């Protein structure tokens, strides 16, 4: 399917990599402050601070103030009691300059550390170490990353019309729900939209061919994702139940294997063309291709969009500056009622900046990890630190993206922050995609293969919204209670 439908649209253009320089440095060398505490006690204390007593944001801010440094030693969950094989010791890097070292593949490696030193069982992914857990030095990383970039390239022919047709379906349903109940959270319809268009674009598989997949596919992915990351994620439910039930042990994969296996069967049947591509052109076995595809679809794409897109609605709901009207005016002036495309939304400076600013303050993946490949000197804005081979670096992006030495008024949402020349320069420091927004995903790095597709797709979603509607009444939680059709 992905090869048969042709649409006149240009795929996102990959931009050259620009990472703030890290070496050499003339800054004073300082010993890394902080520590790990007593065995068991220190990691447990940091875990409780992170999840319970302070929450992630305050947890990191208090330690920056305590150590007078954005680089320090601490522990990151999961920890005691049932994670005996996990080393919780990390070096936190919480400013843009130190954080950028995590994308220099000469300095760091990424083997098995997607969510820290803890790695979920490969039984969640068909007993395959999928690409996200492979380091760039491993040959299979090159094979899978090239495969991922190729299916994205091929999908560009149908991407935009598939997105817009599924958006029409989503909005029709939301309008009907508003008429029935007065107010509706868009989350479920968003997730159905995300699952449908990604299945069609990435795999060439139409969920409507399986009523059960069409109805439950997104829920299967939600459960599969949740069980893998629960020990590392702050939920914010009633404590101490969260600590006892969610953060103290890893959940087994058999709890979600039923839905996962049904998805695998569906993709194996409906995505034959893509699986054959992986086998014939990239040297992957059918099993490797299948489970990497599910991970790309479910974890990378569906999971990322499911976290990020609600932030778009929440931001519009919290805005008191007339942002909706400004966005609507730009869409009306530059595109009007013409069909949307990747090329047309690139003209929308404010819409694109709005998307970038939402990513800055609400990165879909808040934590990044990298392990030192060798001894090296890491620099923050004011000091240098000696990192030893094997030490694990941890960056908390919501803090990094509030670096006051890079972003003016870093705590404030500024919709046009990334416009004009200064805004373009700031894209060098927008790291949501496992690399800078100005970077290029390649087989030799770990940057998200769909980096440009994510931002442009979100801009298409926003542009489509303001082609269809004059305004939307959205509350601070993102729920929609009224829509006014475009005139």
């Amino acid at each position: 399917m992905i090869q048969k439908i042709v649409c006149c649209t240009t795929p996102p253009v990959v931009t050259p990599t620009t990472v703030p320089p890290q070496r050499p440095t003339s800054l004073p060398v300082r010993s890394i402050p902080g520590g790990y505490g007593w065995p068991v006690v220190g990691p447990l204390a940091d875990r409780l601070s992170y999840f319970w007593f302070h929450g992630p944001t305050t947890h990191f801010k208090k330690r920056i103030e305590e150590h007078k440094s954005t680089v320090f030693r601490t522990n990151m969950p999961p920890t005691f009691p049932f994670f005996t094989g996990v080393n919780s010791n990390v070096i936190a890097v919480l400013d843009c300059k130190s954080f950028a070292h995590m994308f220099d593949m000469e300095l760091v490696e990424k083997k098995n550390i997607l969510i820290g030193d803890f790695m979920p069982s490969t039984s969640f992914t068909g007993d395959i170490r999928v690409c996200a857990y492979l380091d760039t030095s491993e040959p299979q990383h090159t094979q899978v990353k090239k495969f991922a970039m190729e299916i994205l390239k091929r999908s560009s022919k149908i991407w935009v019309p598939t997105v817009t047709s599924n958006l029409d379906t989503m909005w029709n349903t939301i309008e009907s729900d508003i008429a029935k109940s007065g107010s509706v959270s868009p989350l479920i319809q968003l997730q159905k939209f995300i699952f449908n268009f990604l299945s069609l674009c990435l795999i060439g598989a139409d969920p409507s061919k399986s009523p059960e997949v069409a109805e439950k596919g997104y829920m299967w992915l939600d459960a599969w994702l949740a069980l893998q990351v629960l020990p590392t994620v702050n939920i914010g439910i009633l404590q101490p139940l969260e600590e006892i039930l969610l953060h103290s042990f890893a959940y087994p994969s058999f709890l979600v294997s039923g839905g996962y296996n049904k998805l695998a069967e569906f993709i194996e049947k409906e995505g034959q063309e893509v699986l054959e591509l992986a086998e014939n052109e990239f040297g992957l076995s059918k099993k490797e291709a299948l489970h990497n595809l599910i991970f790309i679809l479910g974890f990378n794409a569906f999971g990322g969009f499911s976290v990020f897109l609600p932030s778009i609605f929440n931001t519009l709901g919290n805005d008191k500056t007339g942002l909706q009207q400004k966005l609507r005016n730009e869409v009306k002036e530059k595109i009007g009622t013409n069909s949307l495309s990747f090329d047309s939304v690139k003209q929308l400076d404010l819409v694109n900046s709005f998307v970038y600013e939402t990513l800055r303050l609400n990165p879909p993946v808040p934590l990044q990890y990298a392990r030192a490949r060798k001894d090296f000197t890491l620099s923050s804005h004011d000091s240098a630190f000696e990192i030893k081979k094997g030490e694990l670096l941890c960056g908390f992006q919501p803090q990094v993206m509030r670096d006051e030495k890079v972003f003016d008024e870093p705590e404030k949402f500024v919709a046009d922050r990334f416009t004009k020349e200064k805004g373009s320069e700031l894209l060098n420091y927008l790291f949501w995609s496992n690399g800078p927004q100005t970077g290029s995903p390649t087989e030799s790095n770990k940057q998200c293969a769909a980096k440009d597709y994510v931002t442009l797709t979100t801009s298409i979603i926003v542009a489509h919204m303001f082609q269809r509607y004059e305004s939307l009444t959205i509350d601070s939680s993102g729920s929609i209670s009224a829509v006014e059709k475009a005139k």
Side-chain angles (χ1 to χ4, degrees), residues 254-421:
F254 74 79
L255 295 173
V256 292
S257 61
Y260 183 87
N261 290 336
K262 288 179 181 179
L263 274 176
E265 291 170 7
F266 169 72
I267 293 171
E268 194 168 0
K269 178 181 178 182
E270 301 296 335
Q272 290 181 20
E273 183 181 336
V274 177
L275 293 173
E276 288 172 2
L277 174 73
E279 292 182 82
N280 297 334
E281 295 192 24
F282 297 94
L284 297 171
S285 70
K286 186 175 182 179
K287 182 178 181 180
E288 290 167 343
L290 176 62
H291 295 290
N292 271 287
L293 264 179
I294 297 175
F295 198 89
I296 291 168
L297 169 69
F299 203 108
N300 300 133
F302 175 84
F305 272 122
S306 292
V307 172
F308 176 54
L309 289 182
S311 299
I312 293 288
F313 288 89
N314 293 343
T315 300
L316 291 172
N318 285 313
D319 177 71
K320 307 298 181 186
T321 67
L323 178 58
Q324 280 197 46
Q325 189 59 47
K326 295 173 186 175
L327 294 169
R328 161 78 175 145
N329 288 344
E330 183 178 61
V331 173
K332 187 175 182 179
E333 290 169 7
K334 294 187 176 181
I335 298 181
T337 58
N338 294 325
S339 297
L340 297 170
S341 68
F342 285 135
D343 288 334
S344 68
V345 296
K346 289 175 185 176
Q347 308 173 61
L348 303 176
D349 296 335
L350 181 61
V351 169
N352 292 324
S353 180
F354 164 64
V355 171
Y356 292 144
E357 181 72 342
T358 306
L359 279 168
R360 182 182 75 87
L361 293 177
N362 305 278
V365 180
L367 291 165
Q368 293 280 356
Y369 291 90
R371 193 177 300 282
R373 198 181 293 275
K374 60 183 179 182
D375 294 356
F376 70 93
T377 301
L378 176 144
S379 301
S380 66
H381 290 301
D382 52 21
S383 300
F385 306 88
E386 297 298 335
I387 307 295
K388 300 300 182 185
K389 179 180 178 179
E391 291 190 304
L392 188 62
L393 306 180
C394 169
F396 181 62
Q397 287 204 72
Q399 179 63 44
V400 176
M401 292 293 94
R402 287 165 169 80
D403 186 338
E404 62 185 12
K405 289 183 168 61
V406 174
F407 300 104
D408 296 334
E409 298 183 283
E411 297 287 345
K412 182 179 179 181
F413 186 95
V414 181
D416 62 353
R417 185 185 298 275
F418 292 95
T419 60
K420 302 178 182 179
E421 184 178 352

Side-chain angles (χ1 to χ4, degrees), residues 8-235:
C8 295
T9 184
T10 305
V13 176
V14 176
T15 48
T17 302
T18 306
V19 179
Q22 294 122 23
R23 311 188 300 270
T25 180
S26 58
L27 294 168
V29 177
R30 177 184 176 187
S31 61
I32 302 173
Y36 304 124
W38 291 96
V40 178
V41 176
L44 181 59
D46 283 340
R47 166 188 151 182
L48 294 177
S49 171
Y50 181 83
F51 282 134
W52 186 355
F53 301 151
H54 298 116
T57 300
T58 303
H59 170 84
F60 284 115
K61 283 185 176 180
K62 287 178 71 69
R63 279 154 180 75
I64 290 173
E65 294 169 1
E66 176 186 350
H67 301 305
K68 295 181 173 55
S69 174
T70 52
V71 177
F72 53 85
R73 297 185 186 277
T74 187
N75 296 287
M76 283 297 293
T79 61
F80 175 85
F82 299 120
F83 294 94
T84 54
V86 176
N87 184 349
S88 64
N89 300 166
V90 302
I91 298 171
V93 287
L94 301 177
D95 64 86
C96 285
K97 189 174 181 181
S98 62
F99 188 69
H101 293 74
M102 300 181 73
F103 314 118
D104 186 336
M105 300 313 297
E106 292 182 9
L107 300 180
V108 301
E109 55 107 351
K110 301 270 189 166
K111 183 178 181 180
N112 297 341
I113 54 167
L114 177 65
I115 54 176
D117 197 59
F118 165 70
M119 178 182 170
S121 169
T122 56
S123 60
F124 281 99
T125 52
D127 297 318
I128 295 289
R129 278 180 66 233
V130 292
C131 188
Y133 293 102
L134 300 176
D135 182 53
T136 53
S137 64
E138 298 179 73
Q140 196 176 53
H141 179 272
T142 297
Q143 294 172 279
V144 180
K145 188 74 175 281
K146 283 185 174 180
F147 169 56
M149 292 189 291
E150 178 63 21
I151 60 175
L152 283 165
K153 180 181 176 182
R154 294 184 179 213
S155 71
S156 66
K157 299 174 183 177
I158 65 163
W159 193 280
V160 176
T162 304
V163 167
T164 54
S165 65
N166 278 276
L167 280 172
D168 285 332
T169 301
M170 180 190 83
W171 283 116
N172 289 339
T173 305
I174 288 175
E175 287 177 22
S176 176
D177 290 345
I178 292 172
K180 292 176 185 176
S181 55
S183 179
V184 60
S185 168
L187 180 60
I188 291 176
Q189 296 308 323
L190 266 175
Q191 288 205 310
K192 287 183 176 181
F193 152 72
I194 294 164
F195 178 72
N196 285 341
F197 100 79
L198 287 172
S199 296
L200 286 161
C201 289
L202 296 179
I203 301 170
D206 185 352
S208 68
K209 291 186 178 181
S210 168
E212 186 178 24
V213 170
E215 181 64 26
K216 298 180 180 179
Y218 76 97
M219 293 186 283
W220 293 337
L221 287 180
D222 279 336
W224 173 75
L225 274 163
L227 258 63
Q228 292 178 75
V229 302
L230 270 178
T232 69
V233 174
N234 182 50
I235 306 296

